[in-house]
Amino acid sequence: MTFTQIDYHITHSDQLSRVGYIKLKNGKKIETPINWVGLSVAESSDFQFNAFKKAGVTSFLSNVYDLKYQDKKGIRDDLINRLVDEGLNHKIDSGGFQLMKQQITGKKKFDLNPEIVYEIQKSVPCDIGVVLDVPIGTESREDKVINKIDKTLQNLESYLKIYDNEEDSFTILPVIHGHDIKKLDYAINGLENIIGELPKALGIGSLVPMVKAVKNSSSTGGKKNFVNILMYLRNKLPKTFIHAFGIGGTMAYFAYLCGVDSIDSNGWILKASRGVIQLPGTSDRFLRKKSHNRPYLLTNRKIRGTKKTINEIDLFMKCKCPICEEYCTDGIWSQHDWVRKRDDFDQYTVESRMKRVVHNLWLYQTELKLIKQAIKDKTSIDFIGKRLQNSIYKGLFQEIVKKMDSDQTNLSNFL
Ligand SMILES: [Zn+2]
């Protein structure tokens, strides 16, 4: 059973990280790494359209579950058409993850199958359609996990029976799952058997339980296993385009470091509604001290393990995004500028939320550009190291770098 796979080309590499491009069936060429920004079910169509445009978002994602069961009035359908008309790239996830969440919460209302997924993906303009997968959670029983991997492979087989390789213009992305090498090998072998060759592109799912503090998440091996899995995949499939599902925020730096070519950003919706902004290499910050006392912008934030400090307010004031630029000219700002900006950003209004959203989304785009440039300059380890210098994961970063230096994971010669 053959189908036109995503065609992947590497143009630059630095340790495990790479820059390249994918070529799709519809003739589109997209530079990698890619960051797909998720659509929101909470924000209005106009809000999202304007935010994506202002922030310079180039790729977005939707999912079948939402389009089929939540988008009753076709609002997201309409938004998708508008964004695609503007030239944005579009990936549609299958909704397998949403189905799993439904099952965990015990509120199983809807179902999906390969036919439904295909019909929805066909009904809107899209570049990449993800095949329906069955994610693995924190279950540890071997037979249950294998069962889910088999089900994902069966879904691909069913999907390929209805997918029209001649007519359909979008490209398929198969998905694998596995929390250890044995399962990953099993899934990759299964995939190879179905498509008749090594996968040129795949998505790796079920990473979320490793990076989030969910119940029983320690059984998945946590963040250390997350990076091990990515490094293993990168080594095993050096010429394959790898998309990591559900990995955003600080973990995105680790994904790029381990050679991932594509990630999703869904966190922007929640972050904006909670009232936080982000800065390069800094996790969520509120604009001012709140009753919950979560971290807010400081002029003298201590850098872990050193006596140095970072002036977060200065960093925020000097942001060059389309929203921030009006508060600071030529890198100079006054106390008055800061107070005005803080008050503008810290309101419970749509306008204020829009400011936070554009600032945060613009930052994701800019970080991605900087990472690409660093990979081209072969300085990506330094760049990511600086971004993680004040993170609680600095130790994990150092471990990875050590590992890359000491064993065969250095792939800089594979081109
Ligand atoms: Zn900004």
Side-chain angles (χ1 to χ4, degrees):
M1 231 183 285
T2 54
F3 66 95
T4 310
Q5 294 200 61
I6 289 176
D7 199 7
Y8 176 47
H9 299 264
I10 302 157
T11 55
H12 302 80
S13 70
D14 183 20
Q15 295 274 12
L16 296 178
S17 310
R18 62 271 295 293
V19 168
Y21 60 90
I22 50 171
K23 267 180 23 195
L24 304 177
K25 253 178 99 181
N26 58 10
K28 252 195 196 176
K29 206 170 141 179
I30 308 174
E31 193 185 50
T32 63
I34 308 167
N35 181 354
W36 306 87
V37 179
L39 295 188
S40 158
V41 293
E43 298 290 358
S44 77
S45 191
D46 280 344
F47 182 95
Q48 294 179 70
F49 182 81
N50 293 332
F52 284 15
K53 285 282 289 165
K54 272 188 203 158
V57 170
T58 55
S59 302
F60 72 98
L61 83 127
S62 63
N63 81 74
V64 167
Y65 183 87
D66 170 51
L67 294 176
K68 172 81 181 171
Y69 296 117
Q70 294 175 309
D71 187 30
K72 294 280 183 236
K73 291 179 184 160
I75 293 166
R76 244 97 59 212
D77 253 31
D78 176 54
L79 175 60
I80 288 169
N81 277 296
R82 285 172 72 193
L83 291 169
V84 170
D85 280 350
E86 286 290 316
L88 274 77
N89 310 309
H90 178 210
K91 167 169 76 77
I92 308 191
D93 286 359
S94 66
F97 182 69
Q98 282 73 13
L99 272 195
M100 185 187 73
K101 275 205 309 203
Q102 230 189 196
Q103 272 152 0
I104 290 172
T105 54
K107 289 184 209 151
K108 190 169 186 244
K109 281 196 289 192
F110 306 115
D111 208 2
L112 291 173
N113 57 44
E115 287 76 21
I116 298 174
V117 170
Y118 172 70
E119 282 310 316
I120 295 286
Q121 289 173 341
K122 221 172 102 159
S123 72
V124 285
C126 79
D127 299 307
I128 296 175
V130 178
V131 179
L132 181 61
D133 60 326
V134 186
I136 48 179
T138 52
E139 65 273 76
S140 48
R141 268 184 55 189
E142 182 102 358
D143 56 335
K144 277 194 172 178
V145 174
I146 291 289
N147 206 295
K148 287 187 165 185
I149 296 174
D150 286 342
K151 188 83 187 78
T152 300
L153 293 168
Q154 284 158 17
N155 281 346
L156 173 65
E157 281 183 300
S158 312
Y159 192 98
L160 290 175
K161 282 180 190 147
I162 41 177
Y163 174 81
D164 191 328
N165 203 31
E166 299 297 318
E167 290 293 317
D168 289 321
S169 63
F170 62 95
T171 316
I172 300 173
L173 183 69
V175 186
I176 60 162
H177 299 273
H179 290 162
D180 57 60
I181 288 171
K182 209 172 126 196
K183 312 286 191 321
L184 290 171
D185 283 347
Y186 179 81
I188 294 167
N189 282 341
L191 198 55
E192 204 180 339
N193 284 338
I194 295 171
I195 57 185
E197 57 183 335
L198 261 183
K200 290 181 187 167
L202 58 79
I204 167 84
S206 303
L207 297 171
V208 174
M210 295 183 202
V211 300
K212 293 257 160 70
V214 294
K215 202 179 161 203
N216 297 329
S217 68
S218 58
S219 67
T220 64
K223 294 180 180 79
K224 210 164 172 174
N225 197 33
F226 156 73
V227 296
N228 280 337
I229 282 178
L230 295 183
M231 286 166 91
Y232 177 74
L233 280 180
R234 188 68 292 165
N235 278 306
K236 187 178 168 82
L237 302 167
K239 293 184 174 174
T240 300
F241 168 85
I242 298 175
H243 173 78
F245 287 97
I247 300 305
T250 309
M251 287 300 126
Y253 291 112
F254 284 104
Y256 295 135
L257 186 68
C258 297
V260 161
D261 304 291
S262 170
I263 61 155
D264 301 322
S265 283
N266 287 304
W268 68 275
I269 307 151
L270 193 65
K271 284 179 199 302
S273 62
R274 284 173 62 215
V276 299
I277 60 127
Q278 288 179 300
L279 294 170
T282 307
S283 56
D284 302 354
R285 292 284 180 265
F286 287 88
L287 273 302
R288 65 178 100 217
K289 190 173 161 58
K290 304 271 174 181
S291 54
H292 49 54
N293 216 12
R294 299 230 174 85
Y296 59 98
L297 291 171
L298 292 177
T299 51
N300 56 349
R301 168 91 44 201
K302 284 204 179 77
I303 302 181
R304 271 165 212 277
T306 73
K307 285 182 178 151
K308 290 189 223 160
T309 59
I310 300 175
N311 186 339
E312 294 172 340
I313 293 176
D314 186 56
L315 207 57
F316 179 48
M317 289 308 293
K318 286 178 180 166
C319 171
K320 292 187 172 70
C321 85
I323 303 295
C324 294
E325 57 184 7
E326 69 151 293
Y327 300 93
C328 175
T329 317
D330 298 328
I332 298 161
W333 55 274
S334 64
Q335 181 64 19
H336 174 262
D337 295 327
W338 154 238
V339 170
R340 184 166 70 92
K341 185 172 175 180
R342 183 192 64 195
D343 291 349
D344 284 356
F345 268 73
D346 198 30
Q347 307 289 330
Y348 289 104
T349 61
V350 179
E351 292 74 23
S352 189
R353 202 164 71 242
M354 178 63 100
K355 287 186 198 300
R356 298 192 296 267
V357 164
V358 174
H359 166 88
N360 287 343
L361 287 177
W362 185 88
L363 185 74
Y364 298 163
Q365 304 299 310
T366 309
E367 287 295 282
L368 183 60
K369 281 183 200 158
L370 292 172
I371 283 172
K372 282 180 186 167
Q373 192 54 51
I375 295 170
K376 289 177 183 172
D377 297 340
K378 296 203 181 283
T379 55
S380 63
I381 307 273
D382 279 356
F383 177 84
I384 294 172
K386 272 186 197 137
R387 290 302 194 251
L388 297 172
Q389 68 177 356
N390 210 26
S391 147
I392 49 169
Y393 308 118
K394 192 179 168 182
L396 182 61
F397 167 78
Q398 286 164 340
E399 253 177 72
I400 299 170
V401 175
K402 220 188 222 171
K403 198 172 176 200
M404 287 199 287
D405 287 342
S406 68
D407 64 22
Q408 326 84 334
T409 54
N410 187 332
L411 294 182
S412 54
N413 299 322
F414 66 85
L415 281 173

